[in-house]
Amino acid sequence: MTNHIAALARIPDDQMADLRRKDTAKGLLHLALYICLIALTGTAIALGVPFWWALLPVHGILLTFLFTLEHECTHQTPFASPTLSDRVGHACGLVLIIPFTWFRYFHLAHHRHTNDPERDPELAHGAKPKTTLGLALHLTGLRYWRAIMSQFVTNMRGQARADYLPASALPRITREARIMGVIYTAAALSLFWTPILLWLWVVPMILGQPFLRLYLLAEHHRLPYVANMLENTRTTYTNRVIRFLAWNMPYHAEHHAAPQVPFHQLPKLNALLQADLKATADGYVDFTAEELRQLR
């Protein structure tokens, strides 16, 4: 069985260097199109166009899937400039209530210990569903909101502690969370004058979360704890709309095998590694159907 190290070693050095090349123009174009879609749905909701309420989940999906961009920014791959990646990551974290400094350490630990039941913080942050009722509860996002809000309050109190958090990062983690707390307080106070943030942020974020939960579940669920990233991570073949929303992260085994490869190069990497992939799904409907069969 070929592991990800051997599979990547077959790729010539010059080709691998090209795959790892970041492109700020492509990143900014993708981001600009994404922001335009958010602005379009947000403006329609704010203006109260006919059936504006039907746009709430669409707007929510666009907001919650900023998670995939924040995730990419932890690797500093969406743009050639690390500073730009960090600033975009902080902005996404503010929208999502996921402090970027803390999340970078959290996510990189997930890469180091993928599917390790003892050390992968994604598993410690929330148990994966084992029953159909558990799946339904998982998709509501209630467990996620409880976990992330608890972590946010812990960060604000300066009490963030984990094996993956270096002591040198704790002051920055605390400061970032407190700054975000001030901004959220101002946002909450604005509701006394206008409900606009309720309809443009709070309600859409709640409605969009189930779609993100399902998307994320497909990445590693029911896969073994092994060192081979082509075996412990699932690539989901899906349509262009979802690949756009998720910054090509449905090519997730490829991303775990070579996290230095930016989002726009992952389709090329998939073509090179496709024969070695051990876990794939033909879309999220297919994955969900298989998940339900396994749970039953």
Side-chain angles (χ1 to χ4, degrees), residues 59-122:
H59 189 64
I61 290 170
L62 290 168
L63 291 180
T64 54
F65 269 78
L66 285 172
F67 174 85
T68 56
L69 174 55
E70 181 176 6
H71 152 269
E72 268 293 271
C73 289
T74 65
H75 298 286
Q76 296 185 329
T77 50
F79 315 101
S81 166
T83 300
L84 179 57
S85 291
D86 286 352
R87 288 178 178 172
V88 171
H90 282 291
C92 291
L94 183 64
V95 173
L96 298 166
I97 323 179
I98 303 177
F100 180 67
T101 303
W102 165 81
F103 180 65
R104 168 173 281 154
Y105 291 106
F106 174 95
H107 182 66
L108 296 183
H110 161 65
H111 269 262
R112 286 193 300 271
H113 308 296
T114 303
N115 274 5
D116 182 337
E118 300 297 328
R119 295 187 293 175
D120 185 344
E122 280 199 0

Side-chain angles (χ1 to χ4, degrees), residues 10-44:
R10 294 200 307 261
I11 303 174
D13 290 345
D14 58 340
Q15 190 174 9
M16 199 67 212
D18 183 63
L19 287 170
R20 290 174 175 165
R21 188 169 295 115
K22 303 169 189 176
D23 192 324
T24 296
K26 289 183 179 179
L28 287 176
L29 176 61
H30 194 115
L31 180 60
L33 291 172
Y34 204 107
I35 290 175
C36 284
L37 289 174
I38 291 175
L40 182 64
T41 55
T43 300

Side-chain angles (χ1 to χ4, degrees), residues 148-162:
I148 200 63
M149 294 306 297
S150 174
Q151 184 66 55
F152 180 71
V153 171
T154 297
N155 290 2
M156 279 204 304
R157 290 176 174 172
Q159 297 173 344
R161 298 291 185 275

Side-chain angles (χ1 to χ4, degrees), residues 257-271:
Q260 310 91 341
V261 173
F263 73 97
H264 62 275
Q265 297 281 43
L266 287 177
K268 293 181 182 178
L269 184 58
N270 168 259

Side-chain angles (χ1 to χ4, degrees), residues 118-131:
E118 300 297 328
R119 295 187 293 175
D120 185 344
E122 280 199 0
L123 297 179
H125 229 62
K128 295 299 187 286
K130 297 180 180 179
T131 65

